[in-house]
Amino acid sequence: MFRDRPQFALEILRDQFGVDVPNSASAYLAPGDFNDRPSRDSQADTVILVGPPRDPTHGVIVEIQQEVEESKRRGLARYAAALWLQLDCPVTVLVICNKAKVARWMARPITTSLDAYELTPKVFGPDLTPVITDAKQAREHPELAALSVMVHGEQPLVASAFMTALENVDPEHAPQYYEYAHRLASEAVRRTLEEIMKDTTWPVYSPFAKEHYGKGLEAGKKEARVEERGNAVLTILTARGVHVSDDVRERITACTDLTELNTWMLRSATATTTDELFTDD
């Protein structure tokens, strides 16, 4: 998300933390390699430079941190020092966290063995992430809306506003915002997004919606066919008085291969034992 629109990082730093980065300055990506030989490789998630390419006025290092990881936190001090040495201009470290505990931990000053060098990252955590429940606001600020889903997506109105907003976002970019939110969200929030996508009452007139709705609809149809075939196999066996053990029942209901289920269904019409379902003869 920050790689696709580097200006988003500057907006967070300027609006939320009061960092002095020019509003009109250009923002562009830079290599994130901070390797010093013979040490191990070190690479930041995203590095953004502000100002003229040959004479940047500000460097921004963006990191996504979802878990407590001390080595990663200490590495940020190395990244900032290395970028400062390269650019000889102010450097800010912006950390995006989806958990309050991780955000509090990341916001602590990072001390180093260098005299007077201490780094305090700017942490954009749940307390600063807005709860966006208005589709218009989500459409105007799709990156913030994606982060809102990441942090507050368990609230139905947040996920609903985000998905509705995508219907009015450039079809070329809408799938990217969906992937951003889906990738960073919890498993429960992912299921919510997927359910909205599969809901037949959801509008499907944009190219983005048609593409993803079609995928969800086809997946739902296949899932229904799989369940139908599995139930048919068990029903036929039961009707014919063939004993079905718990292990065999579990194997049949767990199978997702329609071709195999169709084969078992045909064999169940003549099989006298469940072993005959699974034979290769």
Side-chain angles (χ1 to χ4, degrees), residues 218-255:
E218 184 58 35
K221 288 180 178 178
K222 180 180 178 181
E223 184 178 336
R225 289 197 298 270
V226 165
E227 184 177 359
E228 178 186 273
R229 296 297 190 281
N231 288 338
V233 173
L234 294 173
T235 299
I236 294 171
L237 291 174
T238 301
R240 297 186 60 249
V242 178
H243 174 69
V244 180
S245 67
D246 291 341
D247 289 343
V248 169
R249 183 179 298 276
E250 182 177 351
R251 178 175 177 178
I252 293 172
T253 55
C255 180

Side-chain angles (χ1 to χ4, degrees), residues 67-273:
E67 301 296 340
V68 172
E69 189 179 355
E70 188 59 40
S71 61
K72 182 73 174 289
R73 201 175 85 95
R74 291 181 59 83
L76 295 179
R78 286 189 60 215
Y79 296 167
L83 190 58
W84 175 75
L85 287 171
Q86 291 177 15
L87 304 178
D88 193 23
C89 71
V91 172
T92 302
V93 175
L94 172 63
V95 183
I96 310 298
C97 298
N98 64 341
K99 299 175 183 176
K101 175 184 176 182
V102 178
R104 289 192 298 269
W105 168 75
M106 283 300 307
R108 288 161 31 203
I110 302 171
T111 57
T112 73
S113 55
L114 294 177
D115 187 31
Y117 175 43
E118 183 178 84
L119 174 71
T120 302
K122 306 297 184 184
V123 180
F124 191 75
D127 58 331
L128 293 179
T129 305
V131 180
I132 298 180
T133 58
D134 178 68
K136 182 176 182 293
Q137 184 183 6
R139 184 173 66 253
E140 293 172 350
H141 306 283
E143 292 91 0
L144 270 181
L147 292 182
S148 184
V149 170
M150 176 185 77
V151 177
H152 308 296
E154 73 283 354
Q155 300 183 34
L157 288 178
V158 172
S160 176
F162 176 70
M163 295 297 284
T164 301
L166 292 184
E167 285 300 315
N168 296 287
V169 171
D170 184 345
E172 182 180 346
H173 298 125
Q176 292 176 305
Y177 292 124
Y178 178 83
E179 292 302 325
Y180 297 151
H182 190 275
R183 188 183 312 124
L184 295 173
S186 67
E187 188 61 36
V189 174
R190 289 182 184 181
R191 286 197 297 271
T192 298
L193 295 177
E194 291 164 1
E195 285 302 316
I196 294 175
M197 189 71 75
K198 291 190 295 186
D199 187 353
T200 55
T201 64
W202 195 59
V204 292
Y205 50 80
S206 74
F208 161 73
K210 288 178 181 177
E211 176 189 354
H212 287 75
Y213 174 79
K215 290 179 180 178
L217 188 61
E218 184 58 35
K221 288 180 178 178
K222 180 180 178 181
E223 184 178 336
R225 289 197 298 270
V226 165
E227 184 177 359
E228 178 186 273
R229 296 297 190 281
N231 288 338
V233 173
L234 294 173
T235 299
I236 294 171
L237 291 174
T238 301
R240 297 186 60 249
V242 178
H243 174 69
V244 180
S245 67
D246 291 341
D247 289 343
V248 169
R249 183 179 298 276
E250 182 177 351
R251 178 175 177 178
I252 293 172
T253 55
C255 180
T256 59
D257 187 327
L258 274 172
T259 301
E260 193 164 37
L261 285 168
N262 284 332
T263 299
W264 294 348
M265 186 172 67
L266 291 173
R267 291 175 178 174
S268 65
T270 58
T272 56
T273 67

Side-chain angles (χ1 to χ4, degrees), residues 15-78:
D15 299 342
Q16 299 291 339
F17 300 101
V19 177
D20 184 19
V21 287
N23 191 34
S24 58
S26 60
Y28 49 93
L29 296 182
D33 296 322
F34 298 120
N35 300 336
D36 54 346
R37 300 296 183 244
S39 72
R40 65 184 183 280
D41 288 350
S42 296
Q43 185 167 17
D45 286 348
T46 303
V47 175
I48 298 169
L49 301 185
V50 184
R54 293 187 179 182
D55 188 22
T57 59
H58 206 111
V60 179
I61 298 171
V62 182
E63 289 285 322
I64 306 295
Q65 192 68 30
Q66 296 181 292
E67 301 296 340
V68 172
E69 189 179 355
E70 188 59 40
S71 61
K72 182 73 174 289
R73 201 175 85 95
R74 291 181 59 83
L76 295 179
R78 286 189 60 215

